[in-house]
Amino acid sequence: MQIKRVEPKTYTYNITLDENDEEYTSCVWADFIFNCDSGRLVINSDAGDYSYCWGFNKNEDFMHLMGRVNRDYLLKKLSYENCFLLEESKNKTINMIEDIGYNCFDFATEEDWKNCKEEILNLDSLVAGNEIHFWDEIEKLVPEIDERTICIEKDYPYGAKLIVDIFIKYLQPKIREEFNQ
């Protein structure tokens, strides 16, 4: 057996937000750990823990990459859209039905569609609070609807969006300054 001590090139930044920072009530502290040898970013914070490994890239220094990434790119690497958005799903599904034409769904009259639309808008999180229950409720309310017409909208978790915003707003300018970008 061999045990080898590895001392990677790493940088750690600790951010402690002030009480007057707008993010303070949701995130007081965050540690950002950059392992430049493996191309790994590890974030520990009171808004959640996140990590991603880009891998080693001989063509670009890892800190240069971190100095130029944008919000959407970093958010996609650290998290994924798994938060069901009920209101947005209802509105987009209604718009899809109206774009196709409500008469394609066996509503006898426009009034029948208006009543169904009102029932969709009144769905609440107790009945349709996740994508499966939403899907089931829409199928009950709309005759002959198919899966292409039911719209499920999702977003990134709040903590992931917050930590990425903190990275972009506070840490990225410091990285650019320190690594001459």
Side-chain angles (χ1 to χ4, degrees), residues 15 26 28 34 52 68 74 82-83 93 99 108 128 133 137 145 154 158 161 174 176 179:
I15 294 178
S26 300
V28 176
F34 301 88
Y52 187 77
R68 71 175 178 81
L74 187 58
N82 63 348
C83 296
T93 299
D99 286 348
H133 291 132
E137 291 302 313
I145 196 164
K154 295 184 178 184
Y158 175 76
K161 292 189 297 185
K174 180 79 171 159
R176 287 177 178 158
F179 294 91

Short mmCIF file of all heavy atoms in Angstrom, two decimals, residues 15 26 28 34 52 68 74 82-83 93 99 108 128 133 137 145 154 158 161 174 176 179:
data_model
loop_
_atom_site.label_atom_id
_atom_site.label_comp_id
_atom_site.label_asym_id
_atom_site.label_seq_id
_atom_site.Cartn_x
_atom_site.Cartn_y
_atom_site.Cartn_z
N ILE A 15 -16.47 34.51 2.57
CA ILE A 15 -17.27 35.73 2.48
C ILE A 15 -18.20 35.76 3.68
O ILE A 15 -18.93 34.79 3.93
CB ILE A 15 -18.09 35.78 1.17
CG1 ILE A 15 -17.15 35.89 -0.02
CG2 ILE A 15 -19.08 36.93 1.19
CD1 ILE A 15 -17.84 35.89 -1.36
N SER A 26 -30.55 35.80 4.03
CA SER A 26 -30.61 34.45 3.47
C SER A 26 -29.27 33.73 3.49
O SER A 26 -29.22 32.50 3.38
CB SER A 26 -31.11 34.50 2.03
OG SER A 26 -32.39 35.06 1.98
N VAL A 28 -25.41 34.35 5.47
CA VAL A 28 -24.50 35.17 6.27
C VAL A 28 -23.05 34.88 5.90
O VAL A 28 -22.22 35.78 5.90
CB VAL A 28 -24.73 34.92 7.78
CG1 VAL A 28 -23.73 35.68 8.63
CG2 VAL A 28 -26.16 35.29 8.16
N PHE A 34 -11.30 26.65 -4.28
CA PHE A 34 -10.91 26.41 -5.67
C PHE A 34 -9.70 25.50 -5.68
O PHE A 34 -8.64 25.89 -5.20
CB PHE A 34 -10.57 27.72 -6.38
CG PHE A 34 -11.69 28.71 -6.40
CD1 PHE A 34 -11.87 29.61 -5.35
CD2 PHE A 34 -12.58 28.74 -7.45
CE1 PHE A 34 -12.91 30.53 -5.36
CE2 PHE A 34 -13.63 29.66 -7.47
CZ PHE A 34 -13.79 30.55 -6.43
N TYR A 52 -18.70 21.42 -8.13
CA TYR A 52 -18.63 20.95 -9.50
C TYR A 52 -17.16 20.80 -9.87
O TYR A 52 -16.32 21.57 -9.40
CB TYR A 52 -19.31 21.92 -10.48
CG TYR A 52 -19.40 21.36 -11.87
CD1 TYR A 52 -20.36 20.40 -12.19
CD2 TYR A 52 -18.49 21.73 -12.85
CE1 TYR A 52 -20.43 19.85 -13.45
CE2 TYR A 52 -18.55 21.18 -14.13
CZ TYR A 52 -19.52 20.25 -14.42
OH TYR A 52 -19.59 19.68 -15.67
N ARG A 68 -14.20 34.45 -15.55
CA ARG A 68 -14.99 34.80 -16.73
C ARG A 68 -16.34 34.09 -16.84
O ARG A 68 -17.14 34.41 -17.71
CB ARG A 68 -14.17 34.57 -18.00
CG ARG A 68 -13.92 33.13 -18.35
CD ARG A 68 -13.20 32.99 -19.70
NE ARG A 68 -12.93 31.61 -20.01
CZ ARG A 68 -13.80 30.77 -20.53
NH1 ARG A 68 -15.02 31.15 -20.82
NH2 ARG A 68 -13.46 29.52 -20.77
N LEU A 74 -22.62 29.08 -14.49
CA LEU A 74 -22.25 28.57 -13.18
C LEU A 74 -23.44 27.91 -12.49
O LEU A 74 -23.31 26.85 -11.87
CB LEU A 74 -21.68 29.70 -12.32
CG LEU A 74 -21.09 29.27 -10.97
CD1 LEU A 74 -19.98 28.24 -11.15
CD2 LEU A 74 -20.57 30.49 -10.22
N ASN A 82 -35.11 21.99 -10.30
CA ASN A 82 -35.92 20.94 -9.71
C ASN A 82 -37.05 21.48 -8.83
O ASN A 82 -37.71 20.71 -8.14
CB ASN A 82 -35.06 19.97 -8.92
CG ASN A 82 -34.36 20.61 -7.74
OD1 ASN A 82 -34.32 21.83 -7.62
ND2 ASN A 82 -33.79 19.80 -6.87
N CYS A 83 -37.27 22.78 -8.85
CA CYS A 83 -38.34 23.38 -8.05
C CYS A 83 -39.55 23.65 -8.95
O CYS A 83 -39.48 24.49 -9.85
CB CYS A 83 -37.87 24.69 -7.40
SG CYS A 83 -36.54 24.44 -6.23
N THR A 93 -49.66 26.38 -19.38
CA THR A 93 -50.57 25.36 -19.90
C THR A 93 -51.82 26.01 -20.50
O THR A 93 -52.27 25.63 -21.59
CB THR A 93 -50.95 24.37 -18.78
OG1 THR A 93 -49.76 23.71 -18.32
CG2 THR A 93 -51.94 23.33 -19.28
N ASP A 99 -53.44 28.70 -27.52
CA ASP A 99 -52.72 28.78 -28.80
C ASP A 99 -53.20 27.69 -29.76
O ASP A 99 -53.35 27.93 -30.96
CB ASP A 99 -51.21 28.64 -28.58
CG ASP A 99 -50.59 29.89 -27.97
OD1 ASP A 99 -51.26 30.94 -27.92
OD2 ASP A 99 -49.41 29.80 -27.53
N ALA A 108 -67.62 22.14 -25.34
CA ALA A 108 -68.81 22.39 -26.17
C ALA A 108 -68.94 23.87 -26.53
O ALA A 108 -69.33 24.21 -27.64
CB ALA A 108 -70.07 21.89 -25.46
N ALA A 128 -52.26 20.49 -6.28
CA ALA A 128 -51.37 20.36 -7.44
C ALA A 128 -49.99 20.94 -7.15
O ALA A 128 -49.41 21.65 -7.95
CB ALA A 128 -52.00 21.06 -8.64
N HIS A 133 -48.89 15.73 -9.43
CA HIS A 133 -50.26 16.09 -9.06
C HIS A 133 -50.84 17.14 -10.02
O HIS A 133 -52.02 17.08 -10.37
CB HIS A 133 -50.33 16.59 -7.62
CG HIS A 133 -50.07 15.50 -6.63
ND1 HIS A 133 -49.20 15.65 -5.59
CD2 HIS A 133 -50.56 14.24 -6.54
CE1 HIS A 133 -49.17 14.53 -4.89
NE2 HIS A 133 -49.98 13.65 -5.44
N GLU A 137 -54.23 16.61 -12.25
CA GLU A 137 -55.36 17.54 -12.17
C GLU A 137 -55.70 18.11 -13.54
O GLU A 137 -56.88 18.25 -13.88
CB GLU A 137 -55.07 18.67 -11.18
CG GLU A 137 -55.02 18.22 -9.73
CD GLU A 137 -56.30 17.55 -9.27
OE1 GLU A 137 -57.40 18.10 -9.53
OE2 GLU A 137 -56.22 16.47 -8.66
N ILE A 145 -56.57 16.04 -23.48
CA ILE A 145 -55.28 16.74 -23.51
C ILE A 145 -54.16 15.72 -23.67
O ILE A 145 -54.27 14.58 -23.22
CB ILE A 145 -55.08 17.61 -22.25
CG1 ILE A 145 -53.95 18.62 -22.48
CG2 ILE A 145 -54.83 16.75 -21.02
CD1 ILE A 145 -53.93 19.76 -21.48
N LYS A 154 -40.16 24.79 -14.14
CA LYS A 154 -39.29 24.59 -12.97
C LYS A 154 -38.26 25.70 -12.89
O LYS A 154 -38.02 26.40 -13.87
CB LYS A 154 -38.59 23.24 -13.06
CG LYS A 154 -39.53 22.05 -12.99
CD LYS A 154 -38.73 20.78 -13.00
CE LYS A 154 -39.61 19.57 -12.88
NZ LYS A 154 -38.81 18.35 -12.80
N TYR A 158 -33.69 28.30 -4.58
CA TYR A 158 -33.34 29.65 -4.15
C TYR A 158 -31.90 29.74 -3.65
O TYR A 158 -31.17 30.66 -4.00
CB TYR A 158 -34.32 30.11 -3.06
CG TYR A 158 -33.95 31.45 -2.49
CD1 TYR A 158 -34.19 32.61 -3.19
CD2 TYR A 158 -33.33 31.54 -1.24
CE1 TYR A 158 -33.84 33.85 -2.68
CE2 TYR A 158 -32.97 32.78 -0.71
CZ TYR A 158 -33.22 33.93 -1.44
OH TYR A 158 -32.87 35.14 -0.93
N LYS A 161 -29.37 29.81 -6.53
CA LYS A 161 -29.37 31.11 -7.22
C LYS A 161 -28.68 32.17 -6.36
O LYS A 161 -27.91 32.99 -6.87
CB LYS A 161 -30.80 31.54 -7.56
CG LYS A 161 -31.44 30.65 -8.61
CD LYS A 161 -32.77 31.19 -9.12
CE LYS A 161 -33.82 31.27 -8.07
NZ LYS A 161 -35.14 31.67 -8.59
N LYS A 174 -13.08 40.15 -7.31
CA LYS A 174 -11.84 39.92 -6.56
C LYS A 174 -10.94 38.94 -7.28
O LYS A 174 -9.72 39.14 -7.38
CB LYS A 174 -12.19 39.41 -5.15
CG LYS A 174 -11.02 39.15 -4.27
CD LYS A 174 -10.50 40.43 -3.69
CE LYS A 174 -9.45 40.14 -2.63
NZ LYS A 174 -8.60 41.28 -2.40
N ARG A 176 -10.89 38.39 -10.52
CA ARG A 176 -10.38 39.09 -11.71
C ARG A 176 -9.23 40.03 -11.33
O ARG A 176 -8.23 40.11 -12.04
CB ARG A 176 -11.50 39.88 -12.39
CG ARG A 176 -12.48 39.02 -13.12
CD ARG A 176 -13.59 39.82 -13.71
NE ARG A 176 -14.52 38.99 -14.44
CZ ARG A 176 -15.75 39.30 -14.71
NH1 ARG A 176 -16.25 40.47 -14.31
NH2 ARG A 176 -16.53 38.48 -15.38
N PHE A 179 -6.05 37.87 -10.27
CA PHE A 179 -5.46 37.06 -11.32
C PHE A 179 -5.32 37.85 -12.63
O PHE A 179 -5.25 37.27 -13.70
CB PHE A 179 -6.24 35.76 -11.49
CG PHE A 179 -6.12 34.87 -10.28
CD1 PHE A 179 -7.03 34.96 -9.25
CD2 PHE A 179 -5.05 34.00 -10.16
CE1 PHE A 179 -6.91 34.17 -8.12
CE2 PHE A 179 -4.91 33.21 -9.03
CZ PHE A 179 -5.84 33.30 -8.00
#
